[in-house]
Amino acid sequence: MKKKNLKGLTLEELEDFAEELGQPRYRGWQIFSWLYAKGVKRFEEMSDISRNLRGRLAEVATISHLDASSYETSSIDGTTKFLFALSDGLRIESVIIPPDPIDSIGADTGKRLTLCVSTQVGCPLDCKFCATGAMGYTRNLTPGEIVDQVIEAQKHSPRRITNIVYMGMGEPLMNYENVMKSIEILTHRRCLNIGSRHITVSTAGWAVNIRRMADEERKVKLAVSLHTLDNGLRARLMPITRKYPLDILLDAVRYYYQRTRLRPTFEYILFRDLNDTDRDLGQLITLARKIPCKVNIIPFHSIDFMNPSGVAATLRPSTRERMSAFVDALRENHVMVFVRSSAGEDINAACGQLAVKEEASFGEKAGVGVV
């Protein structure tokens, strides 16, 4: 008989599993706490469960876990990138991001610590400015593999992880069921008790599941990788636009706001002479008047280490002066703007740079720890 993997099961599923073993349902929440709040990897560590039951669990079940095979920390800003080995030999990356000193003026960011988690091995969407897309796509991550990124990263952080961003490798809304199940686990008070308002799901624009999030009243934040309001240019940069053109995407985002009353965030990387013109600025201001939102302005981070070609090779970051003028104009027009720094760029951990290479090269830089 194949053993049942308990990592990734919800509280209700673990209670049902306990009943299947002839145990009271409360055994399920005991197991739930050991798996997620305490992060144990072996049944013998579950000290408030009888030895006989622990033995029975070992016979019929297993606890999968990720191995943080290596990690590296930026000497510039303290960003830490983890390389996780999956049970099938594949690898993914996650990033702990310290508070951004230029995040938002007046915001209380001192106690915040964000983990950016992956949801797929690689990504099928091939956004031209993103290194993960250059890897291609292998498979979705399971709920347990998503949750384990948080559990294992927390073990390596002296500070509590307070915020989760589904913005690592992969398109979260293409792995919808597993992502939402992982959120259900992470937000439970017997797990890490991370509030749903401290969780952000970022999408390149999988419109059908933006609507599904709204219909299911998922009380998590939505971030949309936008980058331009020119449909033709966006299709060149982000091929998903051919499946979900801007009008369909923005209708879905508007619907999400109407159903949840949560302001979406539009992510906007500034590319020189491509989407940083006065026309682009005007379009973004108009959008913000139609859909109450926040705008994240992100500097373009090079992905030269992935040997980009075609469209990617032509992309250049906007000048510092143009970025400042762009942001100032948005604020003058009462748009809520956040300016993201280049946190982790020196270790290829900045926005758009996650892409597993050979593990040997992962640890070549100074500041790498091997677990």
Side-chain angles (χ1 to χ4, degrees):
M1 182 181 68
K2 184 178 180 181
K3 292 185 177 182
K4 188 181 188 69
N5 178 25
L6 302 188
K7 182 67 68 65
L9 298 186
T10 64
L11 176 58
E12 183 178 1
E13 289 171 333
L14 286 169
E15 289 174 333
D16 291 342
F17 175 71
E19 278 194 337
E20 291 172 8
L21 296 181
Q23 297 293 319
R25 290 183 68 82
Y26 75 82
R27 293 296 187 197
W29 57 254
Q30 284 182 306
I31 297 171
F32 185 90
S33 294
W34 282 109
L35 290 177
Y36 302 123
K38 299 174 184 176
V40 303
K41 299 178 181 179
R42 295 179 297 276
F43 292 114
E44 54 263 35
E45 298 178 71
M46 299 180 178
S47 57
D48 62 352
I49 295 176
S50 71
R51 181 173 298 178
N52 286 342
L53 179 53
R54 279 180 276 163
R56 176 63 175 150
L57 288 171
E59 290 174 358
V60 301
T62 186
I63 303 172
S64 67
H65 63 273
L66 302 186
D67 289 318
S69 55
S70 54
Y71 61 92
E72 56 184 327
T73 299
S74 167
S75 60
I76 298 173
D77 54 46
T79 297
T80 299
K81 181 170 70 170
F82 294 89
L83 178 67
F84 288 113
L86 308 180
S87 60
D88 56 5
L90 298 171
R91 297 191 296 266
I92 57 170
E93 293 178 341
S94 308
V95 180
I96 287 182
I97 308 169
D100 189 339
I102 59 172
D103 191 349
S104 66
I105 298 174
D108 181 14
T109 62
K111 296 182 179 179
R112 187 172 69 198
L113 189 66
T114 300
L115 177 68
C116 182
V117 298
S118 295
T119 56
Q120 296 177 316
V121 181
C123 182
L125 296 186
D126 193 27
C127 297
K128 302 307 179 184
F129 46 82
C130 181
T132 307
M135 289 176 56
Y137 166 76
T138 304
R139 68 170 175 86
N140 286 332
L141 296 184
T142 67
E145 289 169 334
I146 297 171
V147 171
D148 239 10
Q149 293 172 66
V150 185
I151 293 172
E152 294 303 312
Q154 183 63 78
K155 291 178 181 178
H156 291 84
S157 173
R159 295 178 50 204
R160 180 176 180 269
I161 293 171
T162 61
N163 293 63
I164 306 295
V165 181
Y166 287 74
M167 199 184 291
M169 297 169 61
E171 166 54 53
L173 294 188
M174 291 184 72
N175 188 15
Y176 187 88
E177 289 80 6
N178 289 347
V179 164
M180 296 304 157
K181 192 172 182 180
S182 71
I183 291 173
E184 181 180 344
I185 294 169
L186 290 169
T187 55
H188 197 282
R189 61 186 178 84
R190 289 189 176 274
C191 182
L192 298 180
N193 196 27
I194 297 173
S196 58
R197 299 296 177 89
H198 293 269
I199 292 179
T200 300
V201 175
S202 177
T203 177
W206 204 257
V208 64
N209 281 342
I210 293 176
R211 287 183 169 272
R212 183 175 174 183
M213 278 180 62
D215 287 334
E216 294 177 358
E217 298 183 351
R218 303 282 182 176
K219 295 298 184 180
V220 295
K221 295 179 180 178
L222 172 68
V224 177
S225 189
L226 182 64
H227 311 305
T228 179
L229 285 160
D230 180 315
N231 198 73
L233 173 59
R234 192 171 191 273
R236 287 171 52 208
L237 295 174
M238 305 176 71
I240 189 178
T241 309
R242 301 184 188 113
K243 181 176 181 66
Y244 296 113
L246 274 169
D247 57 344
I248 292 176
L249 170 59
L250 296 178
D251 279 347
V253 175
R254 186 180 296 105
Y255 181 73
Y256 163 87
Y257 172 74
Q258 291 169 345
R259 289 296 301 268
T260 66
R261 308 315 293 179
L262 295 175
R263 290 190 180 202
T265 296
F266 289 113
E267 308 282 353
Y268 201 97
I269 297 175
L270 283 172
F271 300 109
R272 187 183 307 179
D273 302 324
L274 200 61
N275 67 346
D276 62 353
T277 68
D278 289 343
R279 178 175 179 270
D280 297 303
L281 178 61
Q283 290 176 329
L284 198 52
I285 291 169
T286 299
L287 174 63
R289 288 171 180 165
K290 292 179 178 178
I291 304 176
C293 63
K294 305 171 187 177
V295 175
N296 277 352
I297 298 296
I298 305 171
F300 175 52
H301 302 121
S302 171
I303 57 171
D304 288 344
F305 62 92
M306 292 298 293
N307 298 316
S309 60
V311 174
T314 69
L315 299 177
R316 297 289 182 272
S318 293
T319 64
R320 186 179 298 272
E321 293 76 17
R322 182 53 187 160
M323 178 182 286
S324 295
F326 200 93
V327 170
D328 288 345
L330 288 173
R331 287 177 173 156
E332 288 168 4
N333 283 274
H334 312 292
V335 178
M336 186 180 296
V337 183
F338 299 83
V339 180
R340 297 304 183 199
S341 69
S342 297
E345 188 174 17
D346 60 316
I347 58 171
N348 291 330
C351 183
Q353 289 190 314
L354 293 189
V356 173
K357 301 173 286 179
E358 290 300 318
E359 189 164 357
S361 67
F362 185 96
E364 285 175 357
K365 297 176 184 164
V368 176
V370 178
V371 182

